Every structure is written in structure tokens, then in C-alpha cells.
Amino acid sequence: MKTLSRREFVRISAMGAGAAVLSVGISGCLPQDDDGLTISFKHGVASGDPLAHSVILWARVTPQKSANSVSISWEVATDSNFINLVTNGSTTTSADKDYTVKIDAAGLSSGTTYYYRFRSNGVYSATGRTQTLAEGAVDQVKLAVISCSNYPAGYFHVLNEIARRDDLNAVLHLGDYIYEYARDGYASSDAAAMGREVLPETELFELSDYRTRYALYRTDADMQSFHASLPIISVWDDHEIANDTWREGAENHNDGEGDFSERKAAAIQAYFEWLPIRPFTEGDNETIYRSFHFGDLVDLHMLDTRLIGRDEQLDYADYMDSEGNFDSDTFTADLTDATRTMMGTDQLAWLQGELAADSGAWQVLGNQTLMGKMLLPSSIALQQVSVADYATLAYLYQLYAISQAGGTLTDDQQAYLTANADQLTDANYALVTADNIPYNLDAWDGYYYEREVLFGTVRAYGRNLVVVSGDTHNSWANNLSDASGNAVGVEFAGTSVSSPGMEYYLGTTADDEAGIVSIVDGLQYANLTDRGYLVVTFTASQAQAEWQYVSSVKTESYTMQEDRYHSLTVSHGNNTIG
């Protein structure tokens, strides 16, 4: 099949998607109801991309029967009873837009909470609450950070917890809002028992497939209450299209599955239809990197590290010979190639310009994948040994080294060494002394040079950098440093809403967390087992990260795990955690 050019892709991806109706004041003439059409608002309401004087409002009407055009009106007020209206208006939607509507409610006051609702054919939607960004001097900004909401993997209790809060300014969704797999795909083993099997039953390829999957997610009660409670600032990751997507393909796009660019265009159209996101430029729905400014306190730059500029991921299998030996020299050369890009030259130039112009106390990057250096012994990264077994062997060899050097062991240590002397083999020694390599080549560790350029820019402008990340389904905190060891900033990474993490892939447990932290340079915190969300609070003096976890996503009832709560801070001007 024909591969679309960049210009053709932008044109197709923009068709019927992304455009928002501008609302600037009170309208005295709203549409009359069509008595012959029965509709409902079964997918809730949402708001997003708040600015100081505007915010995107979203709704979808569900007509009882197909309609060429459905009229819909909206109201925005400063009170939940809609007595003090500030703007209203009307528009139409149709099947071409999947019956979605997006309103760019403009002319609003900064730093203000608003209520909004939609009406069609005599039926009102649920009431949503949103807020605009503050201008000028700002004392505090509080942002929730989430990612990876996998419907068949578990209940969205995390979203319910966020909806219950009234102290947040916005939520950053860092991708994997949906997953593209078929009903028997990834993390679906408990879906039938929980009543959370996906629609459509097949993998997503066509526009109608992606639309149906979004519609399913948005029937979830926790998802609806979450969206109705506060504005979302979102970027996509890979699963909105297909697993491990890059610029021209994906791991989960295979021979016989059609042209990838057409699949990507369909996925992007559905994303812009169903998410309250404002296009970077009108008519271009591929570019989603954009900035938000919370007064003089936080400059937020949302990145696209997935679609627009990413080169294909490296694969360790390509560097292994027939005998299982790893070609580290060739791998290192490819990894550090100066032409290798994750963001692309246009986005990198844009970000450098934004960082140069920023005037806020903190510079925050909303970023899909881990930016910190997650270097693990190759025996762990290549799954030749578990984390727990590695730690056991490392301890054994530590005792052996002390003994061989004439050091003193306790009686218990000597007894342990004697009892396990048969484990001191050449094969186990090779596992323990294996070189460190990146755990995940899909993350920034697989795009070494561009990360160094970014870090150099941050240092050149003396910025106070906080990176927030998703993707891994586990929680992390990293001190970020360049190749010379200079402190650049910090990274706070949140776990998933429902997708399983490292415990699913490597069998890690909570007992392994301290071991992982001790192995990885720069790593300050890890949670390897729990689902939850991250809140980052910014003041002029510090940024505080708080990780909150639910007891389970597999049961309808749950509690918050107070014993797993964790908090870390970075002081302004310090660039390191602690």
C-alpha cells in the first residue's frame, strides 16, 4: 500500500478532528430542540488545555439513531447552578466527528474555577468543573501525574481518588490513555471476571476501532468523574496507536496489517476527537508538543517523545551472536550516534527556544518515557537472572571477597558462605560482574546523544528542571546528570493507573526495591508493585513529589495504602533530591 507523505498525513489526520468552536461571550439565540431525535450524554464531559483566559470543553452526544447533524449548546458559569453565566453558545456535530464537540471557551478570568454543561434536545449533560491558569505572582501549583490506564487490566480506582480531591490545578496525563490490543491481549487475563472485556474484541486498526475503544473507556464511571472534576493536559504515548510506536512503525504493527501511516492517522483522529486537547496549530493534529505557564512559578512543556521525531528503537537481539555473546562495542557506537533522535530536530529547537525564554521559577517537562539513566547489570536487563537472585549472589561474592582478603566475617556470615560455597561458580561470577546496560531501550536511555543536548541546554540557561514521566508502570525518582556527572535536575516518574509493571515482566517484589535503588546510580526511589498516582507541588522554595497507591485494581472495593505513601523534595536551585 502507498506510504503517506508528511503533508498528506497532516491533511488526513486533520480531517474532521481537533478543531474547537470558539466561545467568547453570551449568545441570545440558541438552537431549538428537534423533537424527533432522542439523545443522551453517556460518555460524560471533560475539559483540558487550560490557559489563563480559556479552556477546552468536551462532550459527546449519543443519538438514538444516525443523524446528519445534531445541535448542541453549552454554558459556562462561575457557580454550579449556572446563575452567573460568563459564556454560552451552540454548534452542531455529526458522525464525521463521532458526535463529539470541543469548545474553546475564551474570555475567561485567570486563576478562576468555572462550571460547564452541555444541552441537546432537552437533555443536559453532567456538570463539569474546570479552572484557568493563574497569572502573575503564584504561591503554589499542584499537579497530579498519571499514565497507562488499561481498561481490562483493572478498575480505575486511581482516577476516582483524583476526582475526590479539590486541591489540584490540573492533571498531566502522560500517555497510554487507551490500549490497542485485542480482547485476549496484554494484561487481560482477569478482564472477564471483572466485567472489563474490551470493545471492539479485535485489535485496533481502523478509525471505527479506535473510536469504539475510546467510547468504552469513557463509559467508565471513575473515568467520567475524573474528567468532570478538573482540566487535563495530555500527550499520547505508544498504545494510543500501537506498542512501541516510532515515527514510521511500531513493534505491534506487523506484516499484513496495512499501511502504518494510515493506522497512525486514524488513531490520531480518534485521539483528537475524544480528548480535550487544543491543536498546536490549526489543521495539524500530529504536533502535540506545547507549553503552559502557571504565572511566575511553573513553565510546563509537554513533549512528544513518541511519534513526531523518534527513530526506531534499538534491539539487544541485534547485538547477540549465535552463541549468546553481546557485541558491546557496536551497540555503544549505535547508541551514542549523534544523528539518533527521539524528539526530532524541530521539536528540540522549539524546546530550546522555550527554555531560553522561560521566566518561571521551575521548568517542568511532561514526558512519556523515563529520562533518568536506568542502567542495570546486563544479566538482569537481559533477564538472565532475577533481581532477587542477583542480590543473593552479589552478597555471597561480597562475603567471599572479604574472606579472601583476610577480612573478618561474623559467625552467621561465615556459616552462610560455607553453606553456599557451591554457588561460587564461573557462570554465577559472570552474572554478578556483568557490565551495566540500559534496562529499557524504548526510554531516553536508547537516545543518548539527544538527551545530552537537552541536558546541555538546561545547564546553559541555569534552569530548575523537574521532569515528570510515565510509561513504565512503576514509580521512580532520579537525580538527572549529564555524561560528565553535572547535576541537571530531577525526575519524578509515576506508576500506572491499572497496567502491571516490572513485577509482571521481571517478577520483582517490594523486597527488591532497595536493591534496585542501590544498583542504579542516581536512582533515589522505586516502587515496583503498586498502582497509583503522583502529585507534584511547586512553591518558590521547593518541589515536592508525593506518590499515592491503591490497595488493588482487581477488586471493586479498595483502600489507600498509607504504608506505601512516599514523598521526596528538591529545593529550588539545588537540582538534586534531598
Side-chain angles (χ1 to χ4, degrees), residues 200-522:
E201 297 183 15
T202 58
E203 188 177 336
L204 311 183
F205 298 106
E206 306 292 338
L207 177 58
S208 61
D209 299 336
Y210 287 99
R211 284 172 166 176
T212 299
R213 188 64 55 87
Y214 278 104
L216 172 67
Y217 273 57
R218 294 293 277 272
T219 60
D220 183 273
D222 291 333
M223 179 73 84
Q224 289 192 13
S225 61
F226 159 75
H227 272 299
S229 66
L230 75 174
I232 183 174
I233 300 174
S234 64
V235 288
W236 51 53
D237 196 18
D238 53 342
H239 289 290
E240 286 88 351
I241 300 92
N243 183 54
D244 284 356
T245 297
W246 56 287
R247 187 175 60 249
E248 298 176 359
E251 179 275 334
N252 194 28
H253 186 81
N254 306 305
D255 291 341
E257 293 182 343
D259 180 75
F260 177 76
S261 59
E262 293 183 357
R263 181 181 187 178
K264 183 169 74 169
I268 286 176
Q269 177 170 338
Y271 184 89
F272 267 88
E273 288 171 345
W274 281 85
L275 271 293
I277 182 174
R278 183 185 286 107
F280 183 86
T281 57
E282 194 62 39
D284 179 0
N285 290 335
E286 188 184 23
T287 305
I288 62 166
Y289 54 82
R290 59 210 194 279
S291 296
F292 300 85
H293 302 282
F294 296 76
D296 63 353
L297 191 58
V298 172
D299 299 312
L300 169 66
H301 307 300
M302 299 294 284
L303 307 183
D304 178 359
T305 60
R306 182 56 66 183
L307 288 186
I308 201 165
R310 177 192 280 259
D311 287 328
E312 187 173 7
Q313 300 88 338
L314 299 179
D315 188 338
Y316 282 123
D318 295 334
Y319 301 91
M320 306 290 290
D321 64 21
S322 59
E323 296 180 357
N325 299 310
F326 181 63
D327 185 353
S328 60
D329 291 340
T330 303
F331 171 75
T332 300
D334 291 346
L335 182 68
T336 57
D337 186 342
T339 66
R340 186 166 176 73
T341 179
M342 192 176 205
M343 292 188 292
T345 55
D346 290 346
Q347 183 178 187
L348 178 59
W350 165 83
L351 180 57
Q352 290 177 314
E354 294 291 293
L355 291 171
D358 281 343
S359 58
W362 297 94
Q363 285 65 51
V364 180
L365 302 185
N367 158 76
Q368 292 92 330
T369 59
L370 275 183
M371 191 172 287
K373 299 169 184 173
M374 288 291 294
L375 305 182
L376 295 175
S378 61
S379 53
I380 295 177
L382 300 178
Q383 300 184 35
Q384 296 169 329
V385 63
S386 70
V387 174
D389 288 346
Y390 179 92
T392 299
L393 288 173
Y395 176 66
L396 181 63
Y397 275 98
Q398 182 182 35
L399 297 182
Y400 178 71
I402 294 172
S403 174
Q404 290 297 104
T408 301
L409 298 177
T410 66
D411 290 343
D412 287 344
Q413 289 173 333
Q414 183 60 58
Y416 183 83
L417 177 61
T418 301
N420 293 280
D422 61 335
Q423 298 297 308
L424 298 172
T425 65
D426 290 344
N428 283 339
Y429 184 73
L431 294 176
V432 170
T433 59
D435 292 337
N436 287 346
I437 61 175
Y439 159 65
N440 182 7
L441 294 175
D442 185 59
W444 278 92
D445 272 337
Y447 300 83
Y448 177 91
Y449 178 80
E450 193 173 64
R451 181 172 59 185
E452 286 300 303
V453 173
L454 172 56
F455 285 173
T457 302
V458 171
R459 292 194 68 235
Y461 294 120
R463 298 312 186 197
N464 287 273
L465 179 67
V466 174
V467 177
V468 291
S469 306
D471 180 63
T472 68
H473 312 165
N474 294 118
S475 298
W476 315 92
N478 285 294
N479 283 327
L480 302 176
S481 60
D482 63 17
S484 299
N486 300 304
V488 175
V490 302
E491 178 178 40
F492 300 131
T495 184
S496 64
V497 170
S498 59
S499 295
M502 225 172 172
E503 74 282 1
Y504 180 86
Y505 301 104
L506 298 182
T508 54
T509 68
D511 293 336
D512 296 321
E513 292 165 357
I516 288 287
V517 171
S518 68
I519 291 171
V520 180
D521 290 341

Side-chain angles (χ1 to χ4, degrees), residues 47-313:
S47 69
D49 276 16
L51 302 176
H53 300 288
S54 64
V55 63
I56 297 291
L57 309 178
W58 179 96
R60 182 183 191 268
V61 296
T62 303
Q64 187 181 40
K65 59 184 179 180
S66 179
N68 293 329
S69 178
V70 179
S71 297
I72 184 169
S73 61
W74 65 87
E75 298 175 312
V76 181
T78 56
D79 65 297
S80 59
N81 293 321
F82 294 89
I83 296 173
N84 301 311
L85 288 180
V86 296
T87 185
N88 69 351
S90 63
T91 188
T92 60
T93 187
S94 66
D96 290 342
K97 300 177 182 178
D98 203 16
Y99 298 107
T100 63
V101 61
K102 291 202 290 192
I103 308 302
D104 196 346
L108 306 180
S109 299
S110 63
T112 303
T113 296
Y114 290 97
Y115 298 85
Y116 63 96
R117 65 184 178 184
F118 295 83
R119 181 178 182 273
S120 180
N121 207 45
V123 177
Y124 281 98
S125 71
T127 295
R129 183 182 66 197
T130 190
Q131 59 181 286
T132 52
L133 304 189
E135 293 182 299
V138 176
D139 293 331
Q140 177 181 281
V141 170
K142 184 169 288 194
L143 303 173
V145 181
I146 58 173
S147 63
C148 308
S149 44
N150 191 349
Y151 186 89
Y155 297 104
F156 291 162
H157 299 323
V158 170
L159 301 185
N160 179 57
E161 284 300 311
I162 294 174
R164 289 159 55 92
R165 301 182 63 138
D166 60 3
D167 60 341
L168 300 171
N169 297 108
V171 174
L172 310 186
H173 197 300
L174 301 180
D176 293 347
Y177 186 98
I178 64 168
Y179 282 71
E180 83 282 10
Y181 295 110
R183 182 165 286 189
D184 60 351
Y186 162 72
S188 296
S189 58
D190 301 318
M194 293 186 293
R196 296 181 71 83
E197 292 182 299
V198 294
L199 294 172
E201 297 183 15
T202 58
E203 188 177 336
L204 311 183
F205 298 106
E206 306 292 338
L207 177 58
S208 61
D209 299 336
Y210 287 99
R211 284 172 166 176
T212 299
R213 188 64 55 87
Y214 278 104
L216 172 67
Y217 273 57
R218 294 293 277 272
T219 60
D220 183 273
D222 291 333
M223 179 73 84
Q224 289 192 13
S225 61
F226 159 75
H227 272 299
S229 66
L230 75 174
I232 183 174
I233 300 174
S234 64
V235 288
W236 51 53
D237 196 18
D238 53 342
H239 289 290
E240 286 88 351
I241 300 92
N243 183 54
D244 284 356
T245 297
W246 56 287
R247 187 175 60 249
E248 298 176 359
E251 179 275 334
N252 194 28
H253 186 81
N254 306 305
D255 291 341
E257 293 182 343
D259 180 75
F260 177 76
S261 59
E262 293 183 357
R263 181 181 187 178
K264 183 169 74 169
I268 286 176
Q269 177 170 338
Y271 184 89
F272 267 88
E273 288 171 345
W274 281 85
L275 271 293
I277 182 174
R278 183 185 286 107
F280 183 86
T281 57
E282 194 62 39
D284 179 0
N285 290 335
E286 188 184 23
T287 305
I288 62 166
Y289 54 82
R290 59 210 194 279
S291 296
F292 300 85
H293 302 282
F294 296 76
D296 63 353
L297 191 58
V298 172
D299 299 312
L300 169 66
H301 307 300
M302 299 294 284
L303 307 183
D304 178 359
T305 60
R306 182 56 66 183
L307 288 186
I308 201 165
R310 177 192 280 259
D311 287 328
E312 187 173 7
Q313 300 88 338

